[in-house]
Every structure is written in C-alpha cells, then in structure tokens.
C-alpha cells in the first residue's frame, strides 16, 4: 500500500491543553483559537476575510492510530461502533475537521471562533465553507 506525506502548514494556539477536558464539538464550549501559519504559505491566506467560514483540517497528533471501534462519545453504556461512523479522534489517519468563522486576521495569524483542537495541533489545510451556491473559489 502506498504512503503519503503531509507537511503541516501551521499550528493551533489554544487554551485547550488536556485532551480529556477538551470539548468534543465546537458548540460544547470550545474556545476561540489562533491559527498560526508558516511564512511559506502566507500568500495562500491573502483572499481570506474576517467573517469567512472555513474548514480547518488538522492532524490529531495525540490520537491513537490503532483504534477501529469505540463507544460513541466515550460512553461505555453504549455499544461499540466502527470508528468511521463516529467523530472519535482515535483512528488510523487522525485527520481533524473543524468548521469555524474567522474573527480577526493579523498577518499569518487567523483568529477563529469555537475551535475544539488542542494547543499545538498541526494544521494540514484550510478550505472555505461552501454556501450551496456556485462558488468559483
């Protein structure tokens, strides 16, 4: 099987440091966070604006990669499910998917609302949230 390399383009700066205490979803008390991008990708940020909704893809670097089934939301009273039908961070390729709104831009730093990623989490990519209308971006 082929392997592929992913090179982070930045990192998350957040008050969240403890995986066990972090909210599981953005609407469960996730704080605002800063996305600090590498200087080499600065030109890729130029069309982003305050108010834009984005999808931030992260590499969940502290996740377990050998997990294929979990109790949903860690609730052992619920039966185990295959990890691909859950939002568990523990999975063979721990890619995080986060929707957020840009609230401030300062050079290579984007401030976003309600991000449930831990401090230091590598950023893999950023994409705009599509509105459903034809978007030529």
């Amino acid at each position: 099987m082929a392997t592929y390399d992913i090179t982070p383009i930045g990192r998350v700066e957040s008050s969240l440091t403890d995986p066990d205490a972090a909210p599981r979803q953005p609407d469960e008390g996730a704080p605002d966070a800063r996305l600090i991008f590498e200087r080499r990708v600065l030109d890729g940020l130029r069309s982003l604006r305050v108010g834009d909704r984005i999808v931030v893809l992260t590499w969940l670097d502290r996740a377990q990669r050998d997990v294929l089934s979990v109790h949903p939301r860690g609730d052992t009273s619920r039966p185990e499910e295959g990890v691909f039908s859950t939002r568990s961070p523990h999975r063979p390729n721990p890619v995080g998917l986060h929707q957020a709104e840009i609230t401030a831009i300062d050079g290579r730093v984007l401030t976003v609302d309600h991000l449930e990623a831990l401090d230091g989490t590598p950023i893999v990519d950023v994409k705009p949230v599509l509105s459903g209308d034809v978007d030529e971006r």
Side-chain angles (χ1 to χ4, degrees):
M1 183 177 292
T3 61
Y4 301 92
D5 292 325
I6 292 179
T7 302
I9 60 171
R11 64 178 172 77
V12 173
E13 187 176 273
S14 172
S15 60
L16 298 175
T17 58
D18 179 2
D20 295 328
R24 296 179 189 272
Q25 298 298 324
D27 63 351
E28 296 176 351
D32 293 355
R34 293 170 19 118
L35 309 179
I36 315 294
F37 289 89
E38 298 289 329
R39 293 188 194 289
R40 65 183 166 77
V41 301
L42 187 58
D43 200 40
L45 303 174
R46 68 179 170 176
S47 301
L48 294 174
R49 305 282 180 260
V50 170
D52 284 354
R53 294 214 39 87
I54 56 174
V55 176
V56 182
L57 291 107
T58 60
W59 189 261
L60 305 175
D61 58 321
R62 285 153 269 196
Q64 297 171 27
R65 296 191 62 188
D66 59 350
V67 175
L68 293 176
S69 62
V70 295
H71 293 282
R73 300 186 65 78
D75 182 352
T76 56
S77 71
R78 296 171 68 178
E80 284 192 352
E81 294 184 17
V83 73
F84 300 131
S85 66
T86 75
R87 297 281 306 223
S88 172
H90 307 295
R91 52 199 326 111
N93 288 310
V95 175
L97 185 67
H98 319 269
Q99 264 197 53
E101 182 175 319
I102 300 171
T103 59
I105 300 173
D106 183 13
R108 64 189 186 104
V109 178
L110 302 183
T111 303
V112 297
D113 67 353
H114 311 297
L115 193 76
E116 75 280 17
L118 297 174
D119 186 58
T121 298
I123 300 168
V124 176
D125 203 355
V126 173
K127 296 180 181 277
V129 171
L130 300 179
S131 66
D133 297 332
V134 175
D135 192 339
E136 295 183 14
R137 286 193 199 187

